[in-house]
Amino acid sequence: MTHVRVPAQLEAYIDVLGIDLGIEFLLKFGGSYVHLSENPQGRSEVAALIGPEKTTALARRIRSGSFRVHTGKPFIARHFRAKGWTTNAIARHLHVSDVTVRNWLKPPDDRQLSLL
């Protein structure tokens, strides 16, 4: 499998949870608010998915409290492509159009001039 670069805003999730659980976390909570605690309680949806130990580790890495989770869909699309998924399969899984997936998977335009 080809390595896909993890964007900076998603590094903490992937570092703490690993790639597979990190993606599952982003798919479940991305775009919504979550509450992370260093002492998760039994009613925590986050702890139910990733376990209390990883919830504590994530709270220590990111911060305790409530915040909106990034969706991470462009990264997830690139990861699924590296695993051999088709554009249509990615689009269905991420609930976006095939056009959106193709745009996410396009290589960067090297003709863009640097501003610096």
Side-chain angles (χ1 to χ4, degrees):
M1 180 177 83
T2 306
H3 174 71
V4 177
R5 188 183 72 74
V6 178
Q9 68 269 25
L10 302 178
E11 279 182 354
Y13 303 105
I14 303 304
D15 287 349
V16 171
L17 304 176
I19 190 73
D20 293 328
L21 186 55
I23 287 175
E24 188 176 349
F25 179 89
L26 293 171
L27 289 172
K28 179 163 183 158
F29 297 111
S32 67
Y33 278 89
V34 297
H35 182 82
L36 289 181
S37 172
E38 291 187 28
N39 297 311
Q41 303 302 307
R43 64 185 186 275
S44 166
E45 285 186 74
V46 172
L49 177 67
I50 65 175
E53 296 84 15
K54 290 193 182 216
T55 301
T56 298
L58 196 57
R60 287 182 178 153
R61 174 75 186 267
I62 296 175
R63 68 182 165 121
S64 291
S66 295
F67 60 92
R68 183 178 292 122
V69 176
H70 295 279
T71 64
K73 286 184 177 184
F75 162 72
I76 296 168
R78 289 190 301 274
H79 174 74
F80 287 160
R81 171 64 77 178
K83 290 178 73 171
W85 287 37
T86 65
T87 300
N88 284 328
I90 296 167
R92 285 190 301 270
H93 199 74
L94 297 180
H95 301 279
V96 296
S97 73
D98 59 309
V99 174
T100 298
V101 172
R102 279 195 294 277
N103 284 329
W104 287 337
L105 298 176
K106 270 195 255 184
D109 187 356
D110 292 336
R111 297 174 299 164
Q112 176 69 39
L113 297 175
S114 173
L115 297 176
L116 301 176

